[in-house]
Amino acid sequence: MLNLRGVEIRKGALDGPAQARLIEALRPVLKAAPLFTPTMPNGKPLSVRMTSAGSLGWVTDKGGYRYQPTHPKGMAWPAIPPEVLDLWHGVTGQDRAPDCCLINYYGEGARMGLHQDRDEADLTWPVVSLSLGDDALFRIGNTSRGGKTESVWLNSGDVVVMGGPARLIYHGIDRIRFGSSRLLPKGGRLNLTLRVA
Ligand code: AKG
């Protein structure tokens, strides 16, 4: 396990068969709650596409960043698959389930700027995040804006845990190596981010 500025990076936490089982489990979720292109509050589209599973999903649009119980098309979010919940319970050691499994899809050229995860009411719970598919360059900053950053490549099956003093650390994805993994039939990267909202 790597520890960068309090962020735990569990390299290879999920082996190939476990990753393939998760992709299968996500198929009906993505069918029930299709990926959409979110926009920043200023109207600019994000390069990642996203959707959610759970009782709450995270969305951003001209109304701001928030959790809400429905997909932008109006339907309730699908349930978080048991395989994903197992990962959360294994990492946190707690019975409480996450409210939200945010699903980010990075196609060729997609990235995510440095940001904090701070839309949750209870910041005592960690954020647990899983990489599936193409490699991604993960950048970690500080708990306030600015300052030096450090980067590490995340590979398929790696789990990142941001909790305790690192719960509000700035982080982002600079780029992916499109086509570096064969896990997803069309290439790209899926990131699952589990949070108590
Ligand atoms: C987020 O959804 O807040 C992320 O930072 C995703 C990070 C990742 O894709 O690994």
Side-chain angles (χ1 to χ4, degrees):
M1 187 179 81
L2 278 172
N3 189 313
L4 273 187
R5 302 181 176 198
V7 177
E8 282 178 25
I9 300 163
R10 304 187 182 192
K11 300 296 292 177
L14 258 64
D15 63 13
Q19 295 170 39
R21 281 196 296 276
L22 269 180
I23 295 297
E24 281 310 306
L26 288 170
R27 226 177 268 282
V29 171
L30 292 167
K31 204 166 173 191
L35 293 163
F36 57 91
T37 298
T39 57
M40 300 288 286
N42 66 10
K44 196 173 167 235
L46 269 67
S47 56
V48 295
R49 292 196 290 145
M50 58 177 61
T51 190
S52 292
S55 54
L56 291 171
W58 187 84
V59 298
T60 168
D61 56 21
K62 286 185 178 163
Y65 302 143
R66 64 192 181 277
Y67 285 96
Q68 65 178 39
T70 51
H71 186 280
K73 289 211 160 109
M75 61 282 197
W77 306 103
I80 302 175
E83 295 82 350
V84 178
L85 291 175
D86 286 350
L87 175 74
W88 165 269
H89 294 303
V91 169
T92 62
Q94 303 289 328
D95 290 338
R96 194 212 199 279
D99 299 302
C100 175
C101 171
L102 174 66
I103 304 171
N104 293 307
Y105 174 73
Y106 295 74
E108 196 162 9
R111 57 185 302 279
M112 189 176 287
L114 274 182
H115 65 279
Q116 291 174 302
D117 289 2
R118 59 175 316 143
D119 301 319
E120 299 72 36
D122 183 351
L123 297 172
T124 61
W125 287 90
V127 172
V128 175
S129 140
L130 169 69
S131 295
L132 292 168
D134 288 345
D135 303 339
L137 188 58
F138 183 57
R139 186 189 290 267
I140 301 172
N142 302 286
T143 49
S144 54
R145 194 177 282 284
K148 287 195 174 150
T149 63
E150 285 180 72
S151 297
V152 63
W153 280 97
L154 297 179
N155 310 111
S156 195
D158 291 355
V159 167
V160 172
V161 184
M162 291 182 290
R167 174 62 180 76
L168 285 177
I169 207 151
Y170 275 83
H171 60 281
I173 296 289
D174 285 349
R175 61 193 160 94
I176 67 162
R177 276 192 194 120
F178 189 77
S180 52
S181 156
R182 285 168 185 249
L183 186 69
L184 304 180
K186 292 185 186 153
R189 171 175 185 264
L190 279 175
N191 162 258
L192 307 186
T193 290
L194 298 162
R195 306 186 188 123
V196 168

